[in-house]
Every structure is written in C-alpha cells, then in structure tokens.
Amino acid sequence: MAQHNRVYSMKEYYERLQIFTENKKRIDKHNEGNHTFTMGLNQFSDMTFSEFRKSFLWSEPQNCSATKGNYFSSNGPHPDSIDWRKKGNYVTDVKNQGSCGSCWTFSTTGCLESVTAISTGKLVPLSEQQLVDCAQDFNNHGFFLFQYDEMGMVDAVATRNPVSLAFEVTSDFMLYSQGVYTSTECHKTTDKVNHAVLAVGYGQDSGTPYWIVKNSWGSGWGIGGYFLIERGKNMCGLAACSSFPVV
C-alpha cells in the first residue's frame, strides 16, 4: 500500500487483501513450476484480472482487417540479436498510460518517436493525449503493414526501426516479472488482441527466440517497463496487427 500509494476504506482493505493474497499464491505456484518466465508482485497485485482488463486493456475487439501486408522484406542476412536502445538515442523512456485503455497511443508515439529519431538523429517525445483528442476514422496509407508475417517484422526491426504490435493479454501477463513470456491461454487471431506495445529488438535465450518489447505501464512493471515474449510462433497474436509509420 505504501509503495503504490493505495488508500482503502476498512471494508475495501479486507477485499483487497483477499485479492492480493490470491495473486500472491498464484505467483508462488507459477514460480515453483518449470516456466520460461517468472511472475511477481507489482502495482496490479491488489486487482482482479477483470478489474485490470477494464482499466488497462482495449474493451472492444480490434479490427485489423486493414492490415493487408505491404511490407517488402530485404534479403537479409539478419543479425542474431538487435536492441535499438543500445544502437543510439532512438527509444524514449518507458511511459505510464495510467488507468485508461489508450495503450495504442503509446505504441504509436513510441514507434513514431523511434522512426523519426533514426531518420533525423533527434529523439523528440510525442503527445499521446493529442492522438486521443484527434482520433477518428483513418486509413492506413503511410504505414508499412504486416499480416501474420513475423519474419517480415524481424526484417523490419533488424534493418529499419522498432515496430508497433498488438497482442492478447491474459491474466498471467498482468503479474509478469522477467524471462521470456509464453502462454497456452491466449489466442492468435486479430479479434482477440487487446493491448498495443512496441518491439524494440529481438534475441534468443537458451534456444528460445524472443522479442524485446516496450510496454506502457511504467518502469516499475516487468523488466524496467519492458518484457520479453516468445518470437516465431505468433504468440498471443502479436504478428496479427503489427505496423510502423513511414516518415
């Protein structure tokens, strides 16, 4: 409560304590098993997944039908790993979307910030609020788009810039701590994705290929605000709605 500035009424205190206890039990049980990632306590540990989903994820299924895939891959070869954070001043600090489902704006600004920085040499933070205020129906001209083309994403991240992606968050991801995230619960179709993020690189750990992904839940979540997720299997639909802007 002190760490995350929580203040409860006496009634809510016992309700939150029960939820916290159940989450802690789940974390301990998961971490005792043989998994590629660990779970841990964080700012969401006093919330049910239902509450978390309403506050931090998209409430409606996303229509990625416009993503037809007009990205033309280079002929490679691609490096075994890449991290745009280490290549130069190309990625802004992790931001915190707060309790609203505007993750798409952070994914969009993060990608545009990086693409612009790579092309101009200037890393300028952009306004998510401006996108929220001005959002309306739009077409996808001016974007390179992928449709279930994860190798195209690899090529883009390796040779060009970070890439925006969307995927389906399920309950265990809320309490992710570190390691390569995988899931048997999530789906791999466009109609289930509910969160947008930014792939800033990729690599491999003990034979498991992964994406390095920037989230928008603050630097206290995950690995300094980042997470790793298995690459090459369209994990949780991450290859279904990916894109980057043309500057």
Tab-separated table of all heavy atoms in Angstrom, residues 32 115 152 183 214 241:
chain	number	residue	atom	x	y	z
A	32	GLU	N	7.179	-21.875	-8.825
A	32	GLU	CA	7.674	-23.187	-8.412
A	32	GLU	C	7.716	-24.164	-9.586
A	32	GLU	O	8.394	-25.192	-9.521
A	32	GLU	CB	6.765	-23.773	-7.312
A	32	GLU	CG	6.905	-23.066	-5.968
A	32	GLU	CD	5.814	-23.483	-4.997
A	32	GLU	OE1	4.952	-24.330	-5.389
A	32	GLU	OE2	5.807	-22.975	-3.855
A	115	VAL	N	11.212	5.978	-35.181
A	115	VAL	CA	11.396	6.088	-36.630
A	115	VAL	C	11.932	7.468	-36.991
A	115	VAL	O	12.850	7.609	-37.822
A	115	VAL	CB	10.066	5.811	-37.366
A	115	VAL	CG1	10.179	6.172	-38.847
A	115	VAL	CG2	9.669	4.352	-37.211
A	152	GLY	N	8.684	-10.876	-41.535
A	152	GLY	CA	8.722	-9.505	-42.033
A	152	GLY	C	8.989	-8.531	-40.904
A	152	GLY	O	9.713	-7.539	-41.068
A	183	SER	N	2.441	-18.356	-23.473
A	183	SER	CA	1.119	-18.631	-22.911
A	183	SER	C	0.422	-19.707	-23.715
A	183	SER	O	0.560	-19.780	-24.941
A	183	SER	CB	0.269	-17.359	-22.908
A	183	SER	OG	-1.055	-17.630	-22.506
A	214	LYS	N	8.693	-2.884	-25.450
A	214	LYS	CA	8.458	-1.746	-24.564
A	214	LYS	C	6.974	-1.648	-24.245
A	214	LYS	O	6.127	-1.588	-25.140
A	214	LYS	CB	8.921	-0.453	-25.250
A	214	LYS	CG	8.749	0.818	-24.426
A	214	LYS	CD	9.130	2.035	-25.260
A	214	LYS	CE	9.016	3.334	-24.459
A	214	LYS	NZ	9.271	4.524	-25.311
A	241	CYS	N	-1.373	-7.719	-35.962
A	241	CYS	CA	-1.700	-6.288	-36.112
A	241	CYS	C	-0.453	-5.416	-35.988
A	241	CYS	O	-0.475	-4.424	-35.257
A	241	CYS	CB	-2.705	-5.863	-35.055
A	241	CYS	SG	-4.298	-6.679	-35.142
